[in-house]
Amino acid sequence: MCPVTQAGDDIIDGVRQNAAGQDTLILAFDDNRLLSELFGEHDEHLALIEERLGIEVTPRGNRVALQGPAAATETGREVLLALFEKLRRGARIDVGEVEGEIRLRRARAHTHDVPAGDVAIRTKRKVIHPRSPMQRSYMAAMKTHELVFGEGPAGTGKTYLAVAAAAASLAAGEVDRIILSRPAVEAGERLGFLPGDMKEKVDPYLRPLYDALYDMLPANLVARGLTDGTIEIAPLAFMRGRTLQRAFIILDEAQNTTPQQMKMFLTRLGERSRMVVTGDPTQVDLPRGVRSGLVDALSLLDGVEGIAHVRFTQADIVRHPLVTRIVEAYDRGHSGTRPEDMD
């Protein structure tokens, strides 16, 4: 067995190669208390690594044997070490975290475009790490650009990560308030006869933003922020005529804005503010013949200094793996069909 050395703790025990040219790499972990979380319930995390990387992963006490092609076992090693380090720092590991580390490590092996450095978002309730290469690019862009467009299908984390970045900026004192908005395309005549005031009518459309906020901040801080105006959640129409300074501003479901609404929203950006616009151009709910403000903006603002555009794809979906297959099936079934022709 040839020894493999690494700076810091001596976690790697060794590696050997069989006659078929496959590596067997042995990892030895020095804190047995963390192994049950590292391996997952019924070793489900190890099973996921096996499935995704095409290797065999066998735990024996505080050691794990990785057997397979050299490149794949090396990726498995990096994934396990990264997850173990997160556990050491007090983080929790779930299937999503394992999936995310696999995506990131595989991407780094094939491209040099994945941003380096720490892009983690630290909120009052959790530390959020990227779960795909594009999430890493998105999180890096939100740290360095005043205006970021996040475009792509559901399940890629566009809105969730934007709200996380807003919560982190508020906690760090970088901004004085968070403003979250959505175009309430169904909040006109179709809801006009429903009981309640405007807030009660449009709240269902803003619920995903509330959900993300409560996942980032303690409930009492969210309630206090909504009361004193530190956190504002409002339909897009309420943004007209305002200049928003020292604020983190998010427009969600932006594909359902008109070009005029999008221009109005983008020009609300004030001093020391940041803005994130998210949406999926394939899910437009506007009337037939009305051009999406998101599509229009992405075309007009292409290459403008200070603006970042991050385009997610089905490969970046970080929800249940079945969601990815559902999106792919719909894309195949509706290829050649305009989004406005879809029910």
Side-chain angles (χ1 to χ4, degrees), residues 120-133:
I121 298 174
R122 292 165 174 83
T123 71
K124 292 283 188 180
R125 297 193 64 177
K126 59 173 63 176
V127 178
I128 300 165
H129 298 274
R131 293 188 174 185
S132 76

Side-chain angles (χ1 to χ4, degrees), residues 186-197:
E186 296 291 326
E189 294 181 357
R190 299 190 192 185
L191 295 181
F193 297 102
L194 293 179
D197 58 19

Side-chain angles (χ1 to χ4, degrees), residues 38-51:
L38 178 66
F39 297 168
E41 187 174 357
H42 305 301
D43 294 341
E44 64 177 342
H45 298 165
L46 302 184
L48 180 60
I49 293 172
E50 283 188 321
E51 178 187 348

Side-chain angles (χ1 to χ4, degrees), residues 55-182:
I55 61 177
E56 292 184 19
V57 183
T58 307
R60 295 189 182 94
N62 72 325
R63 284 176 162 78
V64 177
L66 309 176
Q67 183 174 357
T73 57
E74 173 61 18
T75 300
R77 178 189 74 85
E78 292 178 355
V79 168
L80 285 169
L81 293 181
L83 294 171
F84 190 69
E85 185 58 31
K86 287 182 179 180
L87 289 171
R88 274 181 164 169
R89 295 175 181 174
R92 302 297 300 272
I93 298 299
D94 57 18
V95 170
E97 288 287 344
V98 180
E99 188 84 62
E101 284 296 336
I102 294 171
R103 289 172 185 261
L104 288 171
R105 305 294 163 174
R106 294 178 75 173
R108 287 177 184 173
H110 294 91
T111 180
H112 300 292
D113 296 332
V114 181
D118 181 21
V119 298
I121 298 174
R122 292 165 174 83
T123 71
K124 292 283 188 180
R125 297 193 64 177
K126 59 173 63 176
V127 178
I128 300 165
H129 298 274
R131 293 188 174 185
S132 76
M134 203 56 66
Q135 279 196 357
R136 174 174 282 275
S137 297
Y138 186 53
M139 293 163 73
M142 288 191 290
K143 289 178 179 287
T144 57
H145 290 73
E146 293 178 315
L147 174 58
V148 177
F149 286 92
E151 169 199 352
T156 52
K158 306 182 304 295
T159 303
Y160 187 82
L161 292 176
V163 174
S169 292
L170 182 65
E174 297 169 354
V175 297
D176 294 333
R177 54 182 171 157
I178 298 172
I179 299 174
L180 310 175
S181 185
R182 266 187 161 195

Side-chain angles (χ1 to χ4, degrees), residues 150-154 158 253-256 278-284 292 294-295 327 339:
E151 169 199 352
K158 306 182 304 295
E253 296 291 332
Q255 75 274 5
N256 289 326
T278 69
D280 180 1
T282 69
Q283 298 294 322
V284 177
S292 166
L294 176 61
V295 174
V327 173

Side-chain angles (χ1 to χ4, degrees), residues 212-284:
L213 266 179
Y214 280 109
D215 208 30
M216 307 299 166
L217 298 170
N220 64 317
L221 291 184
V222 176
R224 186 191 311 160
L226 291 170
T227 300
D228 64 19
T230 304
I231 301 173
E232 180 181 349
I233 304 180
L236 176 61
F238 289 17
M239 298 295 105
R240 190 173 300 277
R242 305 174 63 184
T243 299
L244 307 173
Q245 298 182 353
R246 287 189 59 84
F248 199 114
I249 313 152
I250 299 172
L251 175 61
D252 190 33
E253 296 291 332
Q255 75 274 5
N256 289 326
T257 63
T258 65
Q260 294 78 15
Q261 288 174 326
M262 178 62 77
K263 180 182 177 182
M264 178 273 293
F265 181 81
L266 295 178
T267 53
R268 301 308 94 196
L269 187 66
E271 292 293 326
R272 300 185 67 181
S273 289
R274 291 188 178 274
M275 183 177 285
V276 179
V277 177
T278 69
D280 180 1
T282 69
Q283 298 294 322
V284 177

